[in-house]
């Protein structure tokens, strides 16, 4: 017989040895009861290391100019899209005079020559690729099309979660519907909600929680920290995730291997099983000895042993 705290302690220890850092035993309880797993798309179900595929020119600017002006606006953003644009633009990226980033929408910057550059959600959906539009001084200059790689562990992870008793898998994303649908098919998720603003992600999570679902939310924390905080268990992806996400989250995955999630849920269920088993065993022994003592079949030392042993 091991004690209840020790049971949890072993659970936490085993989890962290396998790359799932759980912040306390309370989350083992919640994790064991999860029935719905919700995922952010970019940087979670995809690797989030995007690359610029092509630029559709819409105005007087050439491809290289569009990329370097967009990169100037994006250079201080931590969004995966921003990183892709900056690495496509090369080494000498202009330093903007001022920048404003609107979460889930894009960035707007003023450059030293007085031009304003805005990079963000396209006005209209084009294809099934992730795309951002670039405006220079208010006029559309073009659309940058980006490619992302599906997380190789995602499909297995979702299947393992379902095998482990999670009834539903859901994707939430700010990206366009067709890009989202493509990822849904690739990873085998049940439901996808696309085109969401960060507050819409939060509201979806809240609606699911209120409908009685026990929710795990997995995200990188970029534009989804509120959702991460609201879910019953918020899981952040450690390496890619922002520091804020790692702090807000209830559990952290050490890398992008999402199958660790299924491991975590299985382990939580097993830990709860062991802890419950121990409680039942301990109380059972005491009741038995109590009954025997009442019948005068055990003496004082037997009772003491049953109580502390
Ligand atoms: P997700 O992580 O689900 O893809 P986000 O909320 O991070 O969603 O972003 C949603 C959309 O907002 C992106 O697809 C993009 O169009 C736009 N966006 C967000 N941040 C930026 C940025 N820094 N630069 C350009 N576009 C951005
Ligand atoms: Mg994201």
């Amino acid at each position: 017989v091991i004690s209840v705290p020790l049971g949890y302690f072993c659970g936490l220890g085993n989890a962290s040895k396998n790359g799932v850092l759980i912040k306390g035993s309370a989350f083992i309880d919640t994790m064991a009861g999860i029935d719905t797993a919700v995922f952010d798309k970019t940087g979670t179900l995809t690797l989030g290391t995007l690359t610029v595929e092509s630029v559709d020119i819409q105005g007087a600017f050439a491809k290289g100019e569009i990329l370097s002006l967009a990169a100037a606006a994006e250079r201080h953003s931590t969004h995966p899209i921003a990183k892709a644009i900056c690495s496509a633009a090369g080494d000498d990226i202009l330093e903007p005079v001022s920048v404003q980033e609107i979460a889930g929408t894009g960035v707007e910057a003023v450059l030293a020559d007085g031009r304003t550059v805005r990079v963000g959600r396209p006005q209209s959906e084009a294809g099934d690729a992730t795309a951002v539009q670039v405006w220079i001084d208010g006029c559309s200059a073009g659309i940058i099309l980006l490619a992302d790689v599906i997380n190789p562990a995602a499909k297995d992870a979702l299947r393992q979660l379902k095998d482990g008793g999670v009834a539903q898998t859901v994707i939430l994303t700010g990206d366009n519907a067709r890009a989202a649908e493509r990822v849904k098919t690739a990873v085998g998720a049940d439901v996808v909600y696309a085109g969401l603003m960060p507050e819409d992600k939060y509201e979806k999570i809240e609606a699911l929680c209120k409908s009685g679902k026990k929710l795990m939310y997995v995200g990188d924390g970029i534009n989804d920290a509120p959702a991460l905080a609201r879910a019953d268990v918020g899981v952040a992806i450690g390496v890619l995730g922002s520091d804020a996400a790692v702090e807000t989250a209830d559990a952290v995955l050490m890398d992008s291997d999402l199958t660790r999630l299924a491991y975590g849920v299985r382990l939580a269920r097993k830990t709860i099983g062991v802890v419950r088993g121990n409680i039942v065993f301990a109380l059972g022994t005491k009741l038995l000895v109590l009954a025997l003592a009442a019948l005068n079949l055990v003496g004082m030392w037997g009772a003491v042993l049953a109580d502390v042993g």
Side-chain angles (χ1 to χ4, degrees), residues 63-258:
K63 179 185 166 186
E65 273 176 303
I66 295 173
L67 279 176
S68 58
L69 291 171
E74 294 276 21
R75 67 176 295 170
H76 297 295
S77 170
T78 56
H79 200 280
I81 291 176
K83 295 193 174 148
I85 292 175
C86 290
S87 58
D91 288 334
D92 20 65
I93 298 171
L94 292 173
E95 180 61 43
V97 176
S98 69
V99 204
Q100 201 190 0
E101 176 153 15
I102 303 167
T105 303
V107 293
E108 183 162 340
V110 179
L111 306 184
D113 62 9
R115 282 189 287 189
T116 61
V117 181
R118 183 153 80 85
V119 190
R121 292 190 185 218
Q123 260 161 342
S124 56
E125 283 188 17
D128 64 358
T130 298
V132 290
Q133 192 160 357
V134 183
W135 291 266
I136 297 166
D137 285 331
C139 296
S140 179
I143 307 265
I144 301 176
L145 297 162
L146 304 114
D148 200 351
V149 178
I150 306 275
N151 184 327
K155 193 174 183 187
D156 273 349
L158 267 61
R159 213 204 42 245
Q160 286 179 24
L161 281 168
K162 292 213 110 174
D163 291 347
V166 172
Q168 202 180 36
T169 53
V170 181
I171 305 176
L172 302 185
T173 180
D175 206 347
N176 71 71
R178 285 171 62 191
E181 199 62 38
R182 201 168 50 85
V183 175
K184 177 190 169 221
T185 312
V187 304
D190 296 317
V191 196
V192 62
Y193 298 101
L196 302 178
M197 294 295 289
E199 58 271 25
D200 301 329
K201 289 186 187 174
Y202 178 87
E203 272 162 26
K204 280 270 180 260
I205 296 289
E206 179 147 88
L208 285 166
C209 285
K210 282 192 174 151
S211 73
K213 297 274 192 287
K214 290 284 165 256
L215 232 68
M216 172 162 78
Y217 181 83
V218 191
D220 61 1
I222 297 173
N223 298 341
D224 63 4
L228 209 54
R230 179 63 183 85
D232 297 295
V233 180
V235 184
I237 315 268
V239 230
L240 276 179
S242 62
D243 292 351
V246 171
E247 245 163 65
T248 316
D250 308 314
V252 178
L253 290 192
M254 256 147 50
D255 57 32
S256 62
D257 181 359
L258 297 175

Side-chain angles (χ1 to χ4, degrees), residues 246-281:
V246 171
E247 245 163 65
T248 316
D250 308 314
V252 178
L253 290 192
M254 256 147 50
D255 57 32
S256 62
D257 181 359
L258 297 175
T259 59
R260 298 185 194 287
L261 293 168
Y263 172 83
V265 172
R266 278 199 303 271
L267 182 81
R269 296 205 167 137
K270 218 167 93 188
T271 304
I272 297 301
V274 170
V275 166
R276 293 221 175 106
N278 271 295
I279 294 173
V280 169
F281 183 77

